[in-house]
Amino acid sequence: MATKKAAAKKAPAKKTAKRKYSPAVGKSVETEMKAMKKGELKSGRSGKKVTNPKQAIAIGISKARKEGKKVPPPPDK
């Protein structure tokens, strides 16, 4: 009986993740979060003070999108 040598198994190649958002977008979101924490961030239409962190993030991403930074398009409703 001939014994076969075990074939050397290669580890699967890791896929490199592609950035969805540019690092500059993080800076604009960070700026909006700081303004929210200071109580200076106002919403667009009503002009009320923003207190929700998710809303501050959305405002930062929206501003980055208007400035032409790398941001995926807004989700369709």
Side-chain angles (χ1 to χ4, degrees):
M1 238 179 171
T3 58
K4 292 184 179 179
K5 285 187 175 181
K9 293 186 178 179
K10 289 185 178 179
K14 290 185 179 180
K15 293 181 181 178
T16 55
K18 191 173 180 184
R19 279 187 182 270
K20 286 187 180 180
Y21 298 89
S22 69
V25 175
K27 290 285 184 187
S28 64
V29 169
E30 184 179 336
T31 305
E32 299 305 320
M33 287 295 285
K34 285 180 181 177
M36 181 203 70
K37 288 179 181 179
K38 285 183 182 177
E40 298 172 352
L41 185 62
K42 308 281 183 187
S43 72
R45 273 194 180 167
S46 64
K48 291 183 180 178
K49 193 187 319 179
V50 173
T51 56
N52 187 346
K54 285 186 178 181
Q55 190 175 3
I57 292 168
I59 291 169
I61 290 173
S62 176
K63 284 186 179 180
R65 191 176 280 125
K66 287 176 186 173
E67 292 171 6
K69 296 177 182 168
K70 183 184 174 194
V71 185
D76 293 331
K77 288 188 178 182

